[in-house]
Amino acid sequence: MNNITFVKGKGGLGRPLPGKDYISGLLFYTGSLPSGFSSSNRIKQFFSVEEAEAAGIKADYSDETQATGVYTVSNVGSNGDSIELVFEEPTQTVSLGTYVKTSSETTVTAVATALVAAINARTYIHGYTATNSAGAITITARLGLGVWPNAGSMLSAVIAGTIAGSVTTDFSGGVASVQAVMHYHISEYFRMQPKGNLYVGIYAVPGSYTFSEVQTMQDFANGDIRQIGVYVTSTNYAASQTTTLQSVANTLDTLKKPLSVLYTANVTTGTSIASLTDLGTFSNNKVSVVIGQDKAGLGNFLFKTTGKSISCLGATLGTVALANVQEDIAWVGKFNLSNGIELESIGFCNGESGLSQSALDSLDLKRYIFLRKFPNLAGSYLNDSHTAVTQTSDYAYIENNRVIDKAIRGVDQALLPSLNSPLLLNADGTLANSTIAFLESQAVVITDNMVRNSEASAISVSINPNQNVATTSEVVVTINIVPVGVARNIVVNIGYKTSL
């Protein structure tokens, strides 16, 4: 029944989350910049979707080029005859307009003029417009359809009587909106992490990808970015790209600005998801490849209207930002990526869906990140938090990297004041107990806090007193971390007994 419904907003007060684990980045490549960006101002920090929209990243498709096609009327027909033009969109069939011939229309031009008027009278409903030239009706597709009309055979006529006509020029010229895709990933990020802190970088498409922009963004953020999504569609996905990204991540590790990279590139419709390269053969522990995608919501619509992989990169990045550093983003009890519409129906970023369980198991073993369903629980969930490295690596999962990166950042900050400080020694040249106790106490403040926050099960800090620091001027501190385990498999033994 009719009613007034209230939907409570989230994050409107802008209250910041503690720490910096949720600070994220999104990197896009495109030749056209939103209004709030420029060639000398390519990175902006957003705390909401509204801030991104204010900077020109909108879902209004204003940067799209609309496709056009021509339908030509070839026979006037008889009074009472009708013609309806219909267009097949990705998710629906749209009636553009219907004309019923009267005695006033005696030429094909007059019939076409009347049909154009019928189409334009419905523009406020369907968004299409039309013009007529001697019976040739040029139709401009509505905003939002991008490259979809270019595939051809989308326009047809339903005719009753002897009115005649045909599509004389298939639709062409449609160029999809880039900003709508950026808006999608940004809004999906904030849907999963409403209190997110997101740096967005937009760069020109390079001749070849070095992903140096990842470091540029991290430098801009003063090293605060903990995880970054990299979205590329101007080149097709190749597993070797994870090695290039790892090289950038290694440099940032050296600079003590570590982060995790989530990567999506275009997987063409001619490429089978099952044929993707096994990421377990690489050594790229800081890089994860996201190949999941919406199948029936906005992500699917953008996939069809851009002709490019969309993926669930934004939502996955938001999930990482929402998760505590020790948590697997595939935790079913905490991270449902579906809101009942978006990511409710799931597939892969080349348009495939409905893969067999054995095919899904194979992809999981290849260490890709995608979406999955459970038969006895509603929602959509990530399969795991894989990185592009062998499963036996200590850093095989995103949370492994996030925990140790947090420890490195914290201990570095704690010990920096002691850099170049004097070191008291015993008479035999070994480190004095007071020196050891002081240095250990500095690091322990950070490590104990991580244990209290359940980010690690246990952490030990130790310094060997028998170091020849008088000669080397180097103190070696050893930190061992016992991680928090992840229940990746739960085995239940169940059966009947005659008695308990």
Side-chain angles (χ1 to χ4, degrees):
M1 290 176 21
N2 298 338
N3 207 341
I4 297 174
T5 302
F6 294 89
V7 179
K8 293 182 179 180
K10 297 179 180 180
L13 295 177
R15 290 172 178 160
L17 294 170
K20 296 183 177 181
D21 299 332
Y22 63 98
I23 299 178
S24 310
L26 262 176
L27 171 59
F28 299 102
Y29 294 92
T30 178
S32 59
L33 291 170
S35 59
F37 291 73
S38 68
S39 58
S40 59
N41 185 17
R42 292 184 175 273
I43 306 171
K44 288 191 175 295
Q45 184 181 20
F46 301 129
F47 295 93
S48 68
V49 177
E50 291 75 18
E51 289 185 2
E53 291 172 343
I57 303 177
K58 300 179 180 180
D60 59 4
Y61 303 98
S62 57
D63 60 326
E64 177 181 300
T65 300
Q66 295 159 267
T68 60
V70 178
Y71 185 90
T72 302
V73 178
S74 57
N75 189 55
V76 174
S78 303
N79 294 340
D81 290 354
S82 66
I83 178 172
E84 177 189 18
L85 293 185
V86 296
F87 193 89
E88 193 69 31
E89 293 191 353
T91 58
Q92 62 181 343
T93 299
V94 177
S95 173
L96 303 186
T98 302
Y99 157 72
V100 179
K101 186 190 177 306
T102 69
S103 58
S104 300
E105 294 82 42
T106 59
T107 65
V108 292
T109 298
V111 170
T113 298
L115 184 52
V116 164
I119 293 171
N120 291 337
R122 292 174 56 83
T123 298
Y124 78 99
I125 298 174
H126 54 50
Y128 295 78
T129 59
T131 59
N132 169 44
S133 177
I137 302 172
T138 298
I139 301 171
T140 301
R142 72 172 177 86
L143 280 173
L145 292 181
V147 303
W148 173 260
N150 298 349
S153 302
M154 303 298 175
L155 182 67
S156 60
V158 179
I159 296 174
T162 57
I163 291 179
S166 62
V167 177
T168 51
T169 303
D170 273 328
F171 275 78
S172 63
V175 179
S177 168
V178 175
Q179 293 179 25
V181 177
M182 292 190 287
H183 184 277
Y184 173 74
H185 286 301
I186 292 170
S187 61
E188 284 290 278
Y189 168 84
F190 282 109
R191 179 171 70 84
M192 295 306 301
Q193 175 48 289
K195 291 190 174 183
N197 181 344
L198 182 65
Y199 288 88
V200 173
I202 306 175
Y203 287 85
V205 176
S208 60
Y209 285 89
T210 64
F211 301 112
S212 61
E213 299 83 6
V214 172
Q215 182 174 345
T216 302
M217 290 182 64
Q218 182 67 304
D219 290 341
F220 180 90
N222 296 315
D224 284 348
I225 296 174
R226 287 353 190 211
Q227 48 274 327
I228 189 168
V230 179
Y231 181 76
V232 175
T233 56
S234 57
T235 186
N236 291 333
Y237 167 72
S240 58
Q241 294 160 354
T242 64
T243 301
T244 308
L245 283 162
Q246 181 68 36
S247 177
V248 178
N250 288 342
T251 298
L252 291 172
D253 277 356
T254 302
L255 296 172
K256 291 183 282 192
K257 300 177 181 179
L259 49 66
S260 295
V261 180
L262 281 72
Y263 181 56
T264 287
N266 191 51
V267 181
T268 62
T269 53
T271 301
S272 167
I273 283 293
S275 68
L276 293 180
T277 304
D278 185 355
L279 295 176
T281 61
F282 291 83
S283 300
N284 304 326
N285 63 284
K286 283 300 187 77
V287 185
S288 300
V289 179
V290 180
I291 60 172
Q293 184 171 282
D294 175 82
K295 183 185 173 184
L298 180 55
N300 177 63
F301 179 81
L302 291 170
F303 169 69
K304 291 184 176 180
T305 56
T306 62
K308 302 289 187 179
S309 294
I310 301 299
S311 85
C312 56
L313 179 65
T316 304
L317 181 68
T319 304
V320 177
L322 179 64
N324 295 325
V325 292
Q326 80 281 5
E327 293 174 348
D328 186 344
I329 54 175
W331 183 2
V332 174
K334 185 172 181 179
F335 305 119
N336 175 13
L337 275 69
S338 167
N339 64 358
I341 299 175
E342 199 63 29
L343 301 184
E344 175 59 26
S345 182
I346 58 174
F348 294 92
C349 61
N350 68 339
E352 286 187 65
S353 61
L355 270 64
S356 67
Q357 187 58 52
S358 60
L360 295 176
D361 289 341
S362 176
L363 274 177
D364 185 67
L365 288 173
K366 289 182 177 181
R367 308 193 60 74
Y368 288 90
I369 294 179
F370 53 91
L371 296 161
R372 67 180 298 191
K373 292 280 190 179
F374 292 95
N376 299 312
L377 184 67
S380 301
Y381 306 89
L382 294 167
N383 63 308
D384 216 325
S385 56
H386 298 305
T387 60
V389 69
T390 176
Q391 188 175 356
T392 59
S393 169
D394 285 353
Y395 309 104
Y397 301 96
I398 294 173
E399 63 270 19
N400 300 147
N401 291 283
R402 294 183 78 205
V403 167
I404 203 158
D405 284 351
K406 183 166 186 175
I408 288 171
R409 286 175 180 269
V411 172
D412 179 63
Q413 184 179 25
L415 292 180
L416 266 176
S418 298
L419 188 64
N420 296 319
S421 65
L423 299 172
L424 293 178
L425 306 178
N426 297 315
D428 59 1
T430 59
L431 282 168
N433 288 338
S434 59
T435 301
I436 293 174
F438 175 75
L439 291 175
E440 288 182 347
S441 68
Q442 299 299 98
V444 163
V445 171
I446 301 301
T447 57
D448 281 359
N449 190 57
M450 290 185 68
V451 173
R452 281 194 299 271
N453 291 336
S454 299
E455 294 167 338
S457 296
I459 303 179
S460 68
V461 179
S462 62
I463 298 174
N464 184 348
N466 299 314
Q467 298 182 46
N468 186 9
V469 298
T471 300
T472 65
S473 296
E474 178 181 276
V475 179
V476 176
V477 181
T478 301
I479 298 178
N480 293 309
I481 301 174
V482 178
V484 174
V486 175
R488 285 192 160 83
N489 292 284
I490 299 175
V491 178
V492 179
N493 296 316
I494 186 171
Y496 290 108
K497 291 282 189 180
T498 57
S499 63
L500 297 178

